Amino acid sequence: MLNHGRALSGAVLGSPISHSLSPLLHNEIFQLLGLTGKYVAQEVKAGELATFLRARSDDFTYLSLTMPLKEEALKLGLPVEASVLVAASANTLVKVESGWQLYSTDGLGFRRALTHSGISTLDRVLILGAGATARSIAQVLDPIAKSIDILGRSRSREGSFSELVKKSDFNFLSWSNQIEFSDFDLVINTTPAGAADSLAERVEKPVATLFDVLYSPWPTALAKRWSDSGAQVISGSELLLYQGLEQIHLVSGVDFDFEELAAPLRKSLNRALL
């Protein structure tokens, strides 16, 4: 943990960013922990991250990264946490004495969200999408899943996953609307809004849990069809919640009970999404 010994000033960067609930989440965490801090949203488009850091670096002690910046951040030549190098995905920039350092809390947050939902062991996992978030998730699932299948639109990303998944059996599947969800016990949608809508018609009576990392707009077409079928659905607000808590844990140096803090935060996020 990094204890800066001063007020925290954070922001979530990405595009589009107006829908983000990260400011609500982080500012409420500050209040609950008695921390002095302020957190805002900043529109930063693809290709603009380096320029933003040069112009605004003195304004922040940490930054959260969302689409489309999680891969772009690795091109900045900054010090990188080991797990970020493996997954080739970063969602957190932390101010250190030498400048900025890259971290990722996506995988840890995802794992905590699964545990909260009562999922600790897995047989067959299907991840929809092959981007930065998918890699972070595959990394933390590798030790606990017997097999991990990736459904991707381009086989150019297959190599990065085959290097990442070492303990689980691994398959890379070309995108197809003919996928059989009944073959899996956990399906994770990491694609952008609308990208997996066409797969909703394949949902009949799944026994799998769907974890959709999106939370706005909610429910997605896939999540609604899944829920209507009677199977368990986990919203992306759970990933937002736990990865945000991991970020505060990282940058504040404060120890806290994650589940105790998550309860009121979950209520606030749910109210905001109504």
Side-chain angles (χ1 to χ4, degrees), residues 153 175 189 191-200 212 214 216-217 219-222:
R153 295 188 181 277
W175 192 273
N189 178 31
T191 64
D197 286 1
S198 62
L199 299 179
D212 197 321
L214 298 172
S216 179
T220 63
L222 184 63

Side-chain angles (χ1 to χ4, degrees), residues 110 114 119 122 124-127 141 184-188 208-211 226 234:
F110 181 85
L114 278 187
I119 300 173
L122 295 160
R124 295 199 66 189
V125 174
L126 174 66
I127 300 177
L141 289 180
F184 304 92
D185 58 350
L186 176 65
V187 177
I188 305 145
T209 294
L210 172 68
F211 195 132
W226 210 282
I234 304 172

Side-chain angles (χ1 to χ4, degrees), residues 21 110 113 117 189 209-220 223 232-242 266 269-270 273:
L21 292 181
F110 181 85
S117 296
N189 178 31
T209 294
L210 172 68
F211 195 132
D212 197 321
V213 304
L214 298 172
Y215 64 85
S216 179
W218 186 263
T220 63
Q232 182 182 23
V233 175
I234 304 172
S235 164
S237 62
E238 288 292 294
L239 176 57
L240 173 71
L241 169 60
Y242 285 105
R266 183 176 288 110
L269 291 174
N270 288 341
L273 289 168

